[in-house]
Amino acid sequence: MTAPLSLNSVSKSFAGKPAVSDVSFTIEPGQIIGFLGPNGAGKTTTLRMALGLIKPDSGTVELFGETPGENAFGRIGFLPEERGLYKKQTAREAIAHMARLNGIKKKAAFILADELLDKYGLGDAKRKKNKDMSKGMAQKVQLLAAIAHDPEFHILDEPFSGLDPVNQQVLEGIVREIASRDRTIIFSTHVMEHAERLCDRIILMASGRKVFDGTTEEALAKAPRRVILASEMDGLSELIEPFASAVERRPDGDLSLTLKPGAQAHDLLERSVTQGLRLSRYEPIRATLHEAFVTLVGDDVRQDMDLNAEEFG
């Protein structure tokens, strides 16, 4: 099958300032791709070039094997970062309008709009005007409008941005349902947890460049490995010295170890048994994509990523 999207050495600058630099990747059919990075990393610019909304300064873009254009009509569902619904339209009118723009007849479009609103718990909002909706409700309506024509390829730019945790979970459910129909999805986000729960593959961006492209597990392997230890016996410091690159004392008095590259948590446990050092606590900590991202891009974006983690939890 033809790849829905392929970028080859794509670059774009605005007013002489690079926004995207030499980015290449290919999206295969049926994948869920998390397109990750802090705000300003170049995600939105890359997606707009992918759609043909802006032209790259250099490099090439292919949608379904061709230059972006009318050949992809009806095959793509796009949720832009900038939210926008006609204020005086109702929810069903907004969805039906986008469905008609993508080739569905008027009567069928309204039937489809009603079915989608019922399916995703918005049946009571069918005739509510967009200007009277909450932000979360309006965002779900706009997402349903983007997917109403059942496109092969979904491009969702920051679909979770600004939503409360409940509505984030609802949108995650919609993404999973789309994927269950063998559709291809790429969504951008600066919140790592969504990608960790949803994605087959992640692409990490920083300062306009691609810094990682692989599976979620491959990304997690890049993160520092940590272990929490405690013992009431002497000798704990001597035990951990060969394994730890950093040691912190936790508020509860236990030690949090960051393991050296190549060091294994199970080797630390085996050494404690060999030395007769009884541990009252031994707890390997699962790495997060947030930690992996900070490791891959360095300290220059650590503060930005920490702020995002605090905001969205």
Side-chain angles (χ1 to χ4, degrees):
M1 296 177 65
T2 303
L5 176 63
S6 182
L7 278 70
N8 182 31
S9 298
V10 169
S11 297
K12 183 68 178 179
S13 295
F14 297 100
K17 183 178 180 180
V20 175
S21 301
D22 195 30
V23 170
S24 299
F25 60 81
T26 297
I27 305 301
E28 300 297 339
Q31 293 183 326
I32 305 179
I33 310 296
F35 195 42
L36 312 181
N39 293 324
K43 304 186 300 296
T44 293
T45 299
T46 302
L47 294 181
R48 287 176 175 172
M49 288 190 288
L51 286 161
L53 299 178
I54 57 176
K55 292 185 178 181
D57 296 332
S58 60
T60 59
V61 178
E62 290 186 351
L63 272 177
F64 300 102
E66 301 182 43
T67 301
E70 62 183 25
N71 57 288
F73 176 77
R75 303 179 73 180
I76 295 173
F78 175 50
L79 178 70
E81 182 181 23
E82 300 84 2
R83 308 298 183 236
L85 294 169
Y86 291 114
K87 293 182 179 181
K88 293 184 178 180
Q89 279 187 334
T90 63
R92 69 193 297 267
E93 287 171 342
I95 296 171
H97 175 70
M98 289 302 299
R100 293 180 67 191
L101 290 178
N102 282 283
I104 298 177
K105 300 295 185 182
K106 181 177 180 179
K107 182 177 180 180
F110 276 97
I111 292 173
L112 178 60
D114 290 340
E115 290 175 348
L116 285 171
L117 288 165
D118 287 334
K119 180 177 181 179
Y120 292 106
L122 295 173
D124 292 341
K126 288 178 184 177
R127 289 175 169 77
K128 179 177 287 190
K129 291 185 177 180
N130 296 324
K131 66 183 180 67
D132 297 325
M133 295 180 188
S134 67
K135 181 176 181 179
M137 182 179 293
Q139 194 154 323
K140 284 184 283 186
V141 169
Q142 189 164 351
L143 176 60
L144 294 181
I147 69 174
H149 59 294
D150 193 21
E152 300 170 49
F153 183 31
H154 299 74
I155 299 178
L156 312 177
D157 195 0
E158 294 284 357
F160 305 101
S161 179
L163 293 180
D164 61 73
V166 172
N167 279 313
Q168 288 184 15
Q169 289 183 356
V170 171
L171 259 66
E172 284 191 11
I174 294 174
V175 170
R176 289 191 181 95
E177 196 278 329
I178 294 170
S180 71
R181 293 184 274 112
D182 295 324
R183 299 299 187 250
T184 306
I185 303 166
I186 182 170
F187 68 87
S188 69
T189 183
H190 56 271
V191 185
M192 304 293 109
E193 290 85 352
H194 299 305
E196 198 164 347
R197 289 191 289 264
L198 291 170
C199 294
D200 305 311
R201 172 184 163 200
I202 60 175
I203 299 170
L204 300 182
M205 295 281 290
S207 302
R209 295 185 177 275
K210 184 182 76 173
V211 297
F212 179 83
D213 184 351
T215 67
T216 303
E217 290 304 315
E218 288 170 342
L220 290 172
K222 304 289 186 180
R225 287 161 296 170
R226 294 180 294 118
V227 182
I228 298 175
L229 289 180
S231 176
E232 297 178 359
M233 301 177 67
D234 294 332
L236 188 58
S237 297
E238 292 77 10
L239 170 72
I240 66 179
E241 196 279 331
F243 298 92
S245 62
V247 181
E248 295 181 5
R249 179 73 65 177
R250 291 163 46 89
D252 59 11
D254 297 345
L255 298 181
S256 177
L257 281 61
T258 300
L259 298 179
K260 295 178 179 179
Q264 302 296 325
H266 61 80
D267 291 336
L268 177 62
L269 181 60
E270 290 178 3
R271 178 71 65 86
S272 70
V273 173
T274 300
Q275 294 184 0
L277 181 65
R278 293 192 299 274
L279 299 177
S280 57
R281 185 175 184 182
Y282 170 78
E283 184 180 345
I285 304 300
R286 187 179 186 275
T288 67
L289 276 182
H290 176 87
E291 294 169 327
F293 185 88
V294 171
T295 299
L296 286 162
V297 303
D299 291 337
D300 57 333
V301 297
R302 182 186 299 272
Q303 183 178 3
D304 183 64
M305 296 305 297
D306 287 345
L307 288 172
N308 290 331
E310 290 174 7
E311 180 181 357
F312 294 101

